[in-house]
Amino acid sequence: MIKITPLHPVFAAEMTGVDLRTPPDADLVRQIDDAMNQYAILAIREQLFDDHQQVAFAKAMGPLERTRGVIDGHKHRLQYDEMIDISNLDTDDSIMRADDRRRMFNLGNHLWHSDSSFKPTPAKYSMLHARVIPPEGGETEFADMRAAWDALPEATQALVENLVCDHSLIYSRAMLGFDAFTPEERTAFEPVPQRLVRRHAGSGRRSLYLSAHIGTIHGWQRPEAMALIRELTEHATQRQFVYRHIWQPHDLVIWDNRCTMHRARPFDDRRYKRDMRRMTLEDVGPTLAQPA
Ligand code: OGA
Ligand code: MN
Protein backbone atom coordinates (compact mmCIF):
# COMPACT_ATOMS: atom_id res chain seq x y z
CA MET A 1 0.00 0.00 0.00
CA ILE A 2 1.27 3.47 -0.90
CA LYS A 3 1.74 5.79 2.03
CA ILE A 4 2.87 9.42 2.14
CA THR A 5 4.35 10.83 5.35
CA PRO A 6 5.45 14.48 5.71
CA LEU A 7 9.12 14.98 6.62
CA HIS A 8 9.01 18.69 7.42
CA PRO A 9 6.41 21.28 8.57
CA VAL A 10 6.14 23.12 5.20
CA PHE A 11 7.17 20.66 2.45
CA ALA A 12 8.95 17.34 1.73
CA ALA A 13 7.45 13.88 2.25
CA GLU A 14 8.43 10.25 2.18
CA MET A 15 6.59 7.79 -0.05
CA THR A 16 6.58 4.12 0.92
CA GLY A 17 5.03 1.04 -0.61
CA VAL A 18 6.38 1.36 -4.17
CA ASP A 19 8.97 -0.56 -6.15
CA LEU A 20 9.97 1.58 -9.12
CA ARG A 21 12.16 -1.05 -10.78
CA THR A 22 9.04 -1.76 -12.80
CA PRO A 23 8.16 1.48 -14.62
CA PRO A 24 5.11 3.12 -13.03
CA ASP A 25 1.72 2.97 -14.78
CA ALA A 26 -0.32 6.14 -15.44
CA ASP A 27 -2.05 5.88 -12.09
CA LEU A 28 1.19 5.71 -10.11
CA VAL A 29 2.71 8.54 -12.19
CA ARG A 30 -0.33 10.63 -11.21
CA GLN A 31 0.07 9.76 -7.53
CA ILE A 32 3.73 10.77 -7.62
CA ASP A 33 2.88 14.01 -9.45
CA ASP A 34 0.11 14.83 -6.97
CA ALA A 35 2.48 14.28 -4.05
CA MET A 36 5.16 16.36 -5.82
CA ASN A 37 2.74 19.22 -6.43
CA GLN A 38 1.91 19.33 -2.75
CA TYR A 39 5.28 18.54 -1.14
CA ALA A 40 7.85 19.46 -3.86
CA ILE A 41 10.33 16.91 -2.43
CA LEU A 42 9.65 13.20 -2.33
CA ALA A 43 12.03 10.71 -0.73
CA ILE A 44 11.50 7.09 -1.72
CA ARG A 45 13.85 4.72 0.06
CA GLU A 46 15.09 1.24 -0.84
CA GLN A 47 14.80 1.52 -4.61
CA LEU A 48 17.23 -1.12 -5.83
CA PHE A 49 17.69 0.51 -9.25
CA ASP A 50 20.34 -0.32 -11.79
CA ASP A 51 21.03 2.36 -14.41
CA HIS A 52 18.65 0.82 -16.90
CA GLN A 53 15.75 0.74 -14.42
CA GLN A 54 16.46 4.28 -13.25
CA VAL A 55 16.34 5.54 -16.84
CA ALA A 56 13.11 3.64 -17.54
CA PHE A 57 11.51 5.12 -14.42
CA ALA A 58 12.54 8.65 -15.44
CA LYS A 59 11.19 8.23 -18.97
CA ALA A 60 7.82 7.18 -17.55
CA MET A 61 7.69 10.43 -15.52
CA GLY A 62 8.00 12.78 -18.52
CA PRO A 63 10.30 14.22 -21.17
CA LEU A 64 13.97 14.08 -20.21
CA GLU A 65 16.50 16.88 -20.48
CA ARG A 66 18.64 16.29 -23.52
CA THR A 67 21.85 18.07 -22.60
CA ARG A 68 24.17 17.80 -19.60
CA GLY A 69 25.38 21.07 -18.07
CA VAL A 70 28.86 19.79 -17.32
CA ILE A 71 32.39 20.48 -18.35
CA ASP A 72 33.70 17.80 -20.62
CA GLY A 73 36.89 16.71 -22.26
CA HIS A 74 36.68 13.43 -20.34
CA LYS A 75 34.84 10.26 -21.10
CA HIS A 76 31.43 10.10 -19.38
CA ARG A 77 31.71 7.56 -16.52
CA LEU A 78 28.15 6.26 -16.90
CA GLN A 79 26.65 4.18 -19.67
CA TYR A 80 23.71 6.53 -20.32
CA ASP A 81 24.35 9.99 -21.76
CA GLU A 82 21.18 11.34 -20.15
CA MET A 83 22.32 10.32 -16.67
CA ILE A 84 24.14 13.01 -14.69
CA ASP A 85 27.13 11.78 -12.73
CA ILE A 86 26.89 13.30 -9.25
CA SER A 87 30.01 11.71 -7.78
CA ASN A 88 33.59 12.37 -6.80
CA LEU A 89 34.75 9.58 -9.10
CA ASP A 90 36.92 9.54 -12.19
CA THR A 91 36.10 7.54 -15.32
CA ASP A 92 37.74 4.43 -13.82
CA ASP A 93 35.68 4.72 -10.56
CA SER A 94 38.69 5.89 -8.52
CA ILE A 95 38.44 9.04 -6.38
CA MET A 96 39.20 12.15 -8.45
CA ARG A 97 42.54 13.86 -8.07
CA ALA A 98 42.49 16.83 -5.70
CA ASP A 99 43.32 19.31 -8.47
CA ASP A 100 40.92 17.85 -11.05
CA ARG A 101 39.09 20.61 -12.95
CA ARG A 102 35.84 18.63 -12.67
CA ARG A 103 36.20 18.48 -8.89
CA MET A 104 36.58 22.25 -8.73
CA PHE A 105 33.61 22.72 -11.05
CA ASN A 106 31.43 20.30 -9.04
CA LEU A 107 31.99 22.34 -5.87
CA GLY A 108 29.42 24.70 -7.40
CA ASN A 109 26.79 22.21 -6.16
CA HIS A 110 27.53 23.45 -2.64
CA LEU A 111 25.82 26.73 -3.52
CA TRP A 112 22.02 26.98 -3.28
CA HIS A 113 20.69 26.44 -6.79
CA SER A 114 17.89 25.17 -8.99
CA ASP A 115 19.01 22.63 -11.58
CA SER A 116 19.47 23.85 -15.14
CA SER A 117 18.14 27.34 -14.43
CA PHE A 118 20.99 28.31 -16.79
CA LYS A 119 19.30 26.55 -19.71
CA PRO A 120 16.67 28.33 -21.86
CA THR A 121 14.18 25.63 -20.85
CA PRO A 122 15.12 24.74 -17.27
CA ALA A 123 14.54 21.54 -15.32
CA LYS A 124 11.26 20.32 -13.88
CA TYR A 125 12.04 17.33 -11.64
CA SER A 126 15.47 16.05 -10.67
CA MET A 127 15.55 12.41 -9.60
CA LEU A 128 18.70 11.55 -7.70
CA HIS A 129 19.53 7.99 -6.71
CA ALA A 130 22.15 7.10 -4.10
CA ARG A 131 24.48 4.23 -4.94
CA VAL A 132 27.43 4.81 -2.59
CA ILE A 133 27.23 7.13 0.42
CA PRO A 134 30.11 8.35 2.62
CA PRO A 135 29.97 7.41 6.33
CA GLU A 136 29.45 11.04 7.31
CA GLY A 137 28.55 14.33 5.64
CA GLY A 138 27.35 14.58 2.06
CA GLU A 139 23.74 15.37 2.95
CA THR A 140 21.58 17.39 0.58
CA GLU A 141 19.56 20.38 1.77
CA PHE A 142 16.39 21.61 0.10
CA ALA A 143 14.62 24.96 0.50
CA ASP A 144 10.94 25.67 -0.14
CA MET A 145 10.63 28.62 -2.54
CA ARG A 146 6.81 28.77 -2.35
CA ALA A 147 6.91 29.13 1.44
CA ALA A 148 9.72 31.68 1.04
CA TRP A 149 7.59 33.71 -1.38
CA ASP A 150 4.55 33.57 0.94
CA ALA A 151 6.65 34.87 3.84
CA LEU A 152 8.02 37.93 2.00
CA PRO A 153 6.70 41.34 3.03
CA GLU A 154 4.18 42.69 0.51
CA ALA A 155 6.46 45.55 -0.47
CA THR A 156 9.23 43.11 -1.37
CA GLN A 157 6.80 40.94 -3.33
CA ALA A 158 5.76 44.03 -5.31
CA LEU A 159 9.39 45.01 -5.90
CA VAL A 160 10.48 41.63 -7.26
CA GLU A 161 7.42 40.11 -8.94
CA ASN A 162 8.16 41.30 -12.47
CA LEU A 163 11.94 41.09 -12.46
CA VAL A 164 13.91 39.01 -14.95
CA CYS A 165 17.35 37.59 -14.12
CA ASP A 166 20.17 36.27 -16.28
CA HIS A 167 21.44 32.81 -15.29
CA SER A 168 24.69 31.12 -16.30
CA LEU A 169 27.00 28.40 -15.02
CA ILE A 170 29.76 30.95 -15.44
CA TYR A 171 28.15 33.16 -12.76
CA SER A 172 27.73 30.38 -10.18
CA ARG A 173 31.29 29.14 -10.70
CA ALA A 174 32.65 32.68 -10.48
CA MET A 175 31.22 32.88 -6.94
CA LEU A 176 33.77 30.25 -5.89
CA GLY A 177 36.52 31.76 -8.01
CA PHE A 178 36.32 29.10 -10.72
CA ASP A 179 36.93 30.54 -14.18
CA ALA A 180 38.79 27.76 -16.02
CA PHE A 181 36.29 27.57 -18.89
CA THR A 182 37.32 26.83 -22.44
CA PRO A 183 36.11 29.23 -25.18
CA GLU A 184 33.60 26.55 -26.27
CA GLU A 185 32.23 26.29 -22.73
CA ARG A 186 31.91 30.07 -22.50
CA THR A 187 29.77 30.00 -25.63
CA ALA A 188 27.73 27.03 -24.42
CA PHE A 189 27.08 28.74 -21.07
CA GLU A 190 25.89 32.12 -22.42
CA PRO A 191 23.44 33.69 -19.90
CA VAL A 192 19.73 32.98 -20.32
CA PRO A 193 16.81 35.06 -18.96
CA GLN A 194 14.38 33.65 -16.35
CA ARG A 195 11.61 35.18 -14.27
CA LEU A 196 12.51 35.83 -10.63
CA VAL A 197 8.96 34.98 -9.55
CA ARG A 198 7.00 32.25 -11.22
CA ARG A 199 3.68 30.53 -10.82
CA HIS A 200 4.09 26.86 -10.01
CA ALA A 201 2.07 25.05 -12.67
CA GLY A 202 1.30 22.07 -10.46
CA SER A 203 -0.24 24.00 -7.56
CA GLY A 204 -1.03 27.50 -8.86
CA ARG A 205 1.08 28.91 -6.01
CA ARG A 206 3.72 31.57 -6.62
CA SER A 207 7.35 30.83 -6.02
CA LEU A 208 10.67 32.61 -5.92
CA TYR A 209 12.94 31.33 -8.67
CA LEU A 210 16.38 31.81 -7.17
CA SER A 211 19.63 30.09 -8.05
CA ALA A 212 23.38 30.55 -7.64
CA HIS A 213 23.43 30.75 -11.44
CA ILE A 214 21.92 34.26 -11.30
CA GLY A 215 24.42 36.94 -12.34
CA THR A 216 22.27 40.00 -12.90
CA ILE A 217 18.75 41.47 -13.06
CA HIS A 218 17.61 43.05 -16.31
CA GLY A 219 17.67 46.85 -16.07
CA TRP A 220 19.61 46.91 -12.80
CA GLN A 221 23.23 47.72 -11.95
CA ARG A 222 24.98 44.46 -11.15
CA PRO A 223 26.03 45.17 -7.54
CA GLU A 224 22.52 46.33 -6.72
CA ALA A 225 21.08 43.24 -8.39
CA MET A 226 23.41 40.85 -6.60
CA ALA A 227 22.81 42.52 -3.23
CA LEU A 228 19.07 41.92 -3.68
CA ILE A 229 19.57 38.33 -4.86
CA ARG A 230 21.72 37.67 -1.81
CA GLU A 231 19.06 39.14 0.51
CA LEU A 232 16.37 37.01 -1.08
CA THR A 233 18.54 33.89 -0.95
CA GLU A 234 19.27 34.42 2.74
CA HIS A 235 15.57 34.91 3.39
CA ALA A 236 14.60 31.82 1.40
CA THR A 237 17.13 29.51 3.04
CA GLN A 238 16.31 30.23 6.67
CA ARG A 239 16.06 27.03 8.68
CA GLN A 240 12.26 27.00 8.76
CA PHE A 241 12.21 26.60 4.97
CA VAL A 242 14.92 23.91 4.80
CA TYR A 243 14.71 20.11 4.81
CA ARG A 244 17.99 18.20 5.12
CA HIS A 245 18.10 14.77 3.53
CA ILE A 246 20.46 12.30 5.17
CA TRP A 247 21.16 9.70 2.50
CA GLN A 248 21.12 5.96 2.71
CA PRO A 249 22.15 3.74 -0.18
CA HIS A 250 19.24 3.14 -2.60
CA ASP A 251 17.39 6.34 -1.64
CA LEU A 252 15.65 8.05 -4.53
CA VAL A 253 14.85 11.71 -3.96
CA ILE A 254 12.75 13.62 -6.44
CA TRP A 255 12.65 17.42 -6.22
CA ASP A 256 10.74 20.04 -8.17
CA ASN A 257 13.24 22.62 -9.44
CA ARG A 258 10.41 25.03 -10.28
CA CYS A 259 9.73 25.72 -6.61
CA THR A 260 12.74 24.55 -4.57
CA MET A 261 16.48 25.12 -4.32
CA HIS A 262 19.03 22.62 -3.05
CA ARG A 263 22.69 22.34 -2.16
CA ALA A 264 25.18 19.58 -1.40
CA ARG A 265 26.84 19.52 2.02
CA PRO A 266 30.55 18.76 2.35
CA PHE A 267 32.12 15.39 3.13
CA ASP A 268 35.65 14.02 3.10
CA ASP A 269 35.79 13.56 -0.66
CA ARG A 270 39.53 12.78 -0.65
CA ARG A 271 38.88 9.71 1.44
CA TYR A 272 35.37 8.42 0.75
CA LYS A 273 33.42 7.67 -2.38
CA ARG A 274 30.02 9.21 -3.02
CA ASP A 275 28.23 7.93 -6.10
CA MET A 276 24.86 9.44 -6.97
CA ARG A 277 23.14 9.35 -10.34
CA ARG A 278 20.59 11.87 -11.53
CA MET A 279 17.91 11.84 -14.18
CA THR A 280 16.26 15.15 -14.99
CA LEU A 281 12.94 16.11 -16.55
CA GLU A 282 12.65 19.17 -18.71
CA ASP A 283 10.14 21.93 -17.98
CA VAL A 284 7.61 22.93 -20.66
CA GLY A 285 9.55 25.98 -21.87
CA PRO A 286 11.46 29.11 -20.78
CA THR A 287 9.94 30.76 -17.69
CA LEU A 288 9.25 33.94 -19.69
CA ALA A 289 6.99 31.91 -21.97
CA GLN A 290 4.98 30.69 -18.96
CA PRO A 291 2.20 32.61 -17.20
CA ALA A 292 3.30 34.69 -14.22
C1 OGA B 1 22.23 17.63 -8.03
C2 OGA B 1 22.85 18.25 -6.84
C3 OGA B 1 23.47 17.82 -4.56
C4 OGA B 1 24.15 16.72 -3.83
O1 OGA B 1 22.21 16.39 -8.09
O2 OGA B 1 21.73 18.37 -8.88
O3 OGA B 1 22.98 19.46 -6.79
O4 OGA B 1 24.01 16.67 -2.60
N1 OGA B 1 23.17 17.41 -5.86
O5 OGA B 1 24.86 15.95 -4.48
MN1 MN C 1 21.78 20.38 -8.42
Side-chain angles (χ1 to χ4, degrees), residues 86 109 113 115 126 128 138-140 247 255 262-265 274 276 278:
I86 304 288
N109 276 345
H113 66 283
D115 287 335
S126 290
L128 185 62
E139 305 88 357
T140 306
W247 292 93
W255 63 87
H262 60 280
R263 66 170 178 177
R265 303 303 291 143
R274 182 177 190 258
M276 319 268 278
R278 195 186 91 203

Side-chain angles (χ1 to χ4, degrees), residues 171 174 214-217 220-228:
Y171 294 140
I214 293 177
T216 191
I217 298 174
W220 287 45
Q221 304 270 325
R222 258 190 101 183
E224 212 175 5
M226 295 316 286
L228 175 63

Side-chain angles (χ1 to χ4, degrees), residues 57-252:
F57 164 70
K59 284 187 170 157
M61 291 304 298
L64 302 181
E65 281 202 320
R66 285 153 301 185
T67 57
R68 275 185 277 130
V70 293
I71 51 172
D72 274 316
H74 290 88
K75 198 171 152 284
H76 186 44
R77 185 174 67 94
L78 307 177
Q79 65 186 124
Y80 286 96
D81 275 347
E82 314 91 300
M83 198 171 252
I84 310 275
D85 185 3
I86 304 288
S87 78
N88 59 332
L89 305 178
D90 209 332
T91 312
D92 63 358
D93 286 341
S94 65
I95 291 178
M96 263 183 211
R97 288 172 43 130
D99 63 352
D100 195 300
R101 191 174 82 109
R102 292 166 296 177
R103 176 166 179 262
M104 296 299 125
F105 178 84
N106 291 343
L107 285 170
N109 276 345
H110 291 227
L111 305 176
W112 285 108
H113 66 283
S114 176
D115 287 335
S116 301
S117 69
F118 54 85
K119 295 183 188 174
T121 292
K124 184 186 178 194
Y125 298 164
S126 290
M127 300 173 279
L128 185 62
H129 188 244
R131 304 293 175 89
V132 177
I133 293 301
E136 58 186 333
E139 305 88 357
T140 306
E141 289 184 338
F142 297 92
D144 183 340
M145 296 296 108
R146 293 180 296 191
W149 165 263
D150 292 343
L152 279 178
E154 257 178 50
T156 311
Q157 290 183 336
L159 172 72
V160 303
E161 67 181 347
N162 293 315
L163 297 178
V164 176
C165 300
D166 272 344
H167 295 235
S168 169
L169 272 169
I170 294 173
Y171 294 140
S172 51
R173 272 47 191 177
M175 275 196 216
L176 295 180
F178 180 95
D179 58 4
F181 293 105
T182 63
E184 295 72 33
E185 286 163 356
R186 281 187 192 281
T187 311
F189 302 148
E190 279 283 304
V192 304
Q194 305 289 2
R195 288 185 196 283
L196 181 53
V197 180
R198 46 191 307 194
R199 194 168 291 280
H200 180 251
S203 62
R205 293 176 61 190
R206 297 180 91 191
S207 178
L208 280 172
Y209 191 45
L210 289 166
S211 190
H213 304 308
I214 293 177
T216 191
I217 298 174
H218 289 197
W220 287 45
Q221 304 270 325
R222 258 190 101 183
E224 212 175 5
M226 295 316 286
L228 175 63
I229 296 301
R230 183 171 284 244
E231 285 292 331
L232 292 171
T233 303
E234 285 181 6
H235 161 78
T237 56
Q238 295 175 83
R239 296 325 293 181
Q240 68 266 32
F241 304 131
V242 172
Y243 164 68
R244 164 182 285 221
H245 189 76
I246 299 170
W247 292 93
Q248 291 169 13
H250 317 301
D251 282 0
L252 172 71

